[in-house]
Amino acid sequence: MFETIVWCCHIRTDDLRGAERVVGRLAARLDRAIRIESYERYWKYPELAELRLLSPLESVSSEAALLAVLHSAWRIATPWSLGAPGSEGEFDGVASANAGSRFTVPGIEWMEFYIVDRQ
């Protein structure tokens, strides 16, 4: 069963409060809940924060999980680069502003999702 979508992102913000505002805007765009699991400054570019976010998924099949995640991801950015399905049933995708992706939520520079089958 695919239980959770893990989102990792780099956002332009000065502090946790700004990150929470960005996540609030993300929540308004998504068709599912989202919460911050971790927040820290991005070591490579100090003007960015690195967030790990979680959303419930609860899909039984890999096809349904991928469709649900893409439906959510397209509400945030386009286009996404998708990775090949892994041997453990995992999927991932990446969107990056410096590679031509456009984000619907201001402040996001880079975002990745991944899901893993929790058997």
Side-chain angles (χ1 to χ4, degrees), residues 2 4-10 30 32 34 51-55 57 62 64-85 89-96 101 103 108 110-116:
F2 297 89
T4 305
I5 307 169
V6 177
W7 306 92
C8 298
C9 61
H10 297 158
L30 288 175
R32 62 189 70 249
I34 191 167
L51 297 174
R52 180 179 162 103
L53 311 168
L54 301 176
S55 294
L57 181 57
S62 59
L66 182 59
L67 185 60
V69 171
L70 289 176
H71 186 262
S72 293
W74 287 330
R75 291 172 178 252
I76 299 169
T78 56
W80 288 82
S81 297
L82 302 178
E90 67 270 13
F91 298 96
D92 68 337
V94 174
S96 177
S101 295
F103 290 92
I108 301 174
W110 176 90
M111 194 162 196
E112 173 186 37
F113 69 79
Y114 63 92
I115 57 172
V116 177

